[in-house]
Amino acid sequence: MLDRIPNDKVIDLRRRAAEYFQKAAWNQLLALDNYRENNLLAAERFAQLSFEDQMNAVECAELADAEADLMLELEIVEES
């Protein structure tokens, strides 16, 4: 049971990263549509939201990687 808790945490972090990447892509599309329509203020706002979502996605992905590395290190220590 204890082995599943860290796995669930990694899965949750990866899911959150995917959701942020998806939001970033959507906001980028909205930015492009607004730019095409010459609505530059809205385009800039959606571009900024896209950037923020990308940064959040990268942070979640990095946390998931760190958690997975920690789990691997703990397994190696436990096997020793």
Side-chain angles (χ1 to χ4, degrees):
M1 179 75 175
L2 291 176
D3 291 341
R4 291 192 49 162
I5 294 170
N7 289 335
D8 289 344
K9 187 173 184 179
V10 171
I11 290 168
D12 180 57
L13 286 167
R14 295 228 186 271
R15 178 174 284 125
R16 287 175 48 201
E19 289 170 355
Y20 276 121
F21 278 125
Q22 187 176 28
K23 284 176 54 180
W26 183 252
N27 283 325
Q28 188 64 39
L29 287 172
L30 291 172
L32 292 171
D33 286 346
N34 278 283
Y35 182 75
R36 185 181 305 128
E37 295 172 8
N38 211 22
N39 188 352
L40 301 181
L41 289 176
E44 178 61 30
R45 181 65 183 134
F46 282 117
Q48 183 62 36
L49 289 172
S50 177
F51 176 77
E52 291 170 7
D53 288 334
Q54 288 177 37
M55 293 299 101
N56 286 330
V58 168
E59 182 178 354
C60 287
E62 288 174 347
L63 288 171
D65 289 344
E67 188 70 29
D69 287 346
L70 182 60
M71 288 172 35
L72 182 60
E73 286 179 27
L74 288 174
E75 285 180 27
I76 291 171
V77 168
E78 288 176 358
E79 290 176 0
S80 300

